[in-house]
Amino acid sequence: MSSRIDEQAISARLIKRGKELFDAPRTKIRFTGISDVDSFLNNITDYPHAFVLGCIMDRQMKTEKAWLIPFHFSENLGNFALKTLAGLSESDLRRIMSTPQPLHRYVDKMSGYFFSAVTRIVHEYDGEAAKIWTGRPSSATVVYRFLQFDGIGPKIASMAVNILAREFKIRFSDYYSVDISADVHVKRVFERLGLTAPNATVEHLVFRARGLYPEFPGLMDFATWEIGRNWCRPNSRNCRNCPMDEVCISSVE
């Protein structure tokens, strides 16, 4: 256990782990833990719009259930071609999302976001969602493109671009604008490491990460999330096995 914060050592470990994940070969992403569903969501060659729609659905409910929604539509419709989705009205989408049981906590709002997303992909990207990120655009450009979708704010936009870069191995011309996603695990770990004060705002955490690694602030995202999910739980801590144990001011073992 460290008696005071060693910012350099902490950031170095988080960045090292982030680089390991970034440079690792592409593997199947576990969006839901259901093999068939995850295979569908990982197919961004044929269904890039499934990834975009999954990002939009991923709010105010469990992540694993939110990412099931595009697959449910595919099962209901018999396919997930964008042309099929574009032929549905907003009321059609609301009906599919609400019966036989609601797919989301906020059916009306999310079916509206779904409808507007399909419309944007059709009109702004010629029906090809992959145009959002192909051609090695700047990170700021891709974040901005995600922010233009109804229902996507800075947190989800950064998450989306981070997943594209780290997991799908999509290359951008830079990574300056890929911020850390301030979810509950990341907030908790940053606080316990002493990087942010208790009850820090999202803005505090984002700018802290930018200051620690301005070239790619979001590189620390999954490394920090991994710590919070596996060792630094809300009501329990496995400090002995945590990779940050030696430099963490909150270590209890």
Side-chain angles (χ1 to χ4, degrees), residues 7 205-215 217 220:
E7 180 180 303
L205 192 145
V206 166
F207 279 92
R208 185 63 160 136
R210 289 183 188 178
L212 291 171
Y213 196 53
E215 296 93 331
M220 294 181 286

Side-chain angles (χ1 to χ4, degrees), residues 1-252:
M1 174 179 176
S2 174
S3 59
R4 63 185 180 84
I5 180 173
D6 187 341
E7 180 180 303
Q8 185 175 8
I10 292 170
S11 59
R13 291 194 183 200
L14 292 176
I15 291 166
K16 180 177 182 291
R17 178 56 176 159
K19 286 181 176 178
E20 290 172 352
L21 294 165
F22 185 79
D23 294 334
R26 179 179 169 181
T27 58
K28 185 177 179 180
I29 306 171
R30 187 182 182 277
F31 287 105
T32 67
I34 302 171
S35 182
D36 289 348
V37 180
D38 289 341
S39 293
F40 166 74
L41 293 168
N42 275 265
N43 186 3
I44 61 168
T45 299
D46 296 327
Y47 305 115
H49 48 287
F51 174 73
V52 177
L53 292 165
C55 289
I56 293 171
M57 297 296 106
D58 190 4
R59 55 184 292 171
Q60 297 178 310
M61 68 182 299
K62 282 191 173 183
T63 293
E64 293 82 1
K65 290 186 177 181
W67 282 91
L68 278 168
I69 293 174
F71 185 78
H72 279 305
F73 270 85
S74 177
E75 292 282 279
N76 186 290
L77 297 169
N79 70 83
F80 203 68
L82 191 69
K83 184 177 180 180
T84 301
L85 297 176
L88 300 174
S89 66
E90 190 170 346
S91 61
D92 291 331
L93 294 171
R94 187 179 299 109
R95 173 181 51 78
I96 294 170
M97 195 172 287
S98 60
T99 56
Q101 59 185 9
L103 299 181
H104 199 283
R105 290 176 62 192
Y106 302 103
V107 168
D108 289 346
K109 179 185 291 185
M110 302 313 290
S111 57
Y113 289 163
F114 196 113
F115 179 79
S116 66
V118 171
T119 301
R120 174 169 289 278
I121 293 169
V122 169
H123 293 294
E124 297 294 326
Y125 299 102
D126 302 319
E128 299 179 36
K131 288 185 176 181
I132 296 170
W133 55 78
T134 52
R136 293 180 67 92
S138 69
S139 57
T141 296
V142 185
V143 171
Y144 176 73
R145 288 171 179 170
F146 272 98
L147 286 171
Q148 288 183 298
F149 284 88
D150 292 337
I152 290 187
K155 177 183 172 182
I156 297 296
S158 289
M159 177 200 77
V161 180
N162 228 335
I163 292 173
L164 288 169
R166 184 185 65 235
E167 305 290 351
F168 284 119
K169 309 303 176 183
I170 302 297
R171 297 301 178 187
F172 306 122
S173 62
D174 65 72
Y175 300 92
Y176 298 112
S177 297
V178 185
D179 281 318
I180 200 164
S181 297
D183 81 341
V184 292
H185 296 300
V186 174
K187 286 182 178 180
R188 182 172 63 254
V189 172
F190 259 59
E191 177 183 331
R192 289 179 179 174
L193 287 171
L195 294 175
T196 53
N199 301 314
T201 65
V202 170
E203 289 77 15
H204 287 158
L205 192 145
V206 166
F207 279 92
R208 185 63 160 136
R210 289 183 188 178
L212 291 171
Y213 196 53
E215 296 93 331
F216 188 175
L219 190 70
M220 294 181 286
D221 188 277
F222 193 77
T224 312
W225 181 91
E226 185 179 53
I227 292 165
R229 186 71 178 262
N230 295 325
W231 302 291
C232 197
R233 301 290 297 166
N235 300 312
S236 63
R237 307 184 195 189
N238 184 2
C239 297
R240 183 173 300 172
N241 293 315
C242 177
M244 307 302 291
D245 183 39
E246 294 178 4
V247 296
C248 181
I249 62 171
S250 301
S251 176
V252 296

